[in-house]
Amino acid sequence: WSFNDFRLYCFPTSHGQKRKQKDLISMVSSLEPKIRENVSFRLHANGIYNLREILTKELGTFKFNDRAKDDVSDGLLSNARLYIGDSNSTTWLESLVINIPTLLFLSDEYLDHNKNILVINKAVENKMIFSSSNDLANWLNINYQDINKWWKSKQIQRIRKDLVKKFCDEID
C-alpha cells in the first residue's frame, strides 16, 4: 500500500460501503430541518448496494436523481445551490469547474492522499474538504445561509482554481 497524489474513484470498496452509508445518514440527520428538506441525492435508483432503500428506511422520503438518467453538469447548473460529494471523483471536479459551492466529505479516505499536496491541505483547512460527517453537518448548519459569500471569497476561489489546475484539464 502506498500513498497516491490523490486517488480518484466513485465508490468506496465493498468493505467501506456500509461505513460510508452510515456517515452519509449521520451527516444528513444532523442537518437542520430547513437545510435537510432541500437535500437531493444523486444515486443509482437500483444500485447494487441498495442505497435508495437504505436511505428511505433511515431518513424517510427524500428527493433524488437517478445517476443513470441525469447529466451531472446539467443537474448542477440547473438547480443546485451547493454540491456535497462523498468521493473525490469526476463529479467533484466538475462542480469545481462549474464554480458552484462545493464541499467534499472523504471520511478517512482523506488519509490516502499525499500530504505534500498543499492545495488539498488548504482545502481541508478552509472547510472545502471534511473527514468527519458531523463536522461537515455542523459547519453547514452555521454557514448555509451565507454559502455564496463564503464560496466567492478570494481565498476559497484561489483554492478552487488551484484544485482545478492541479487535478483536471479545464476546457474553456
Side-chain angles (χ1 to χ4, degrees), residues 15-32:
H15 69 276
Q17 188 66 34
K18 288 196 184 292
R19 187 199 74 242
K20 187 71 117 172
Q21 290 171 353
K22 286 180 183 179
D23 286 342
L24 180 62
I25 291 164
S26 174
M27 190 231 355
V28 173
S29 296
S30 298
L31 292 174
E32 292 179 1

Side-chain angles (χ1 to χ4, degrees), residues 117-128:
I117 299 184
L118 297 178
V119 69
I120 295 296
N121 296 332
K122 287 182 182 188
V124 170
E125 292 166 11
N126 286 277
K127 308 301 184 196
M128 295 173 75

Side-chain angles (χ1 to χ4, degrees), residues 72-73 76-77 80 82-85 87 89-104 151 157 160 164 168:
V72 175
S73 298
L76 289 172
L77 284 172
L82 167 70
Y83 169 77
I84 303 173
S87 63
S89 64
T90 303
T91 307
W92 173 62
L93 294 173
E94 285 179 322
S95 67
L96 291 171
V97 170
I98 292 169
N99 198 14
I100 64 164
T102 301
L103 301 175
L104 182 60
W151 184 253
Q157 284 297 301
R160 180 194 71 81
V164 168
C168 54

Side-chain angles (χ1 to χ4, degrees), residues 141-158:
N141 284 333
I142 293 167
N143 294 286
Y144 183 74
Q145 294 305 319
D146 292 322
I147 199 76
N148 286 320
K149 181 179 178 183
W150 165 79
W151 184 253
K152 292 178 182 178
S153 71
K154 286 182 182 179
Q155 184 163 348
I156 297 302
Q157 284 297 301
R158 185 174 29 256

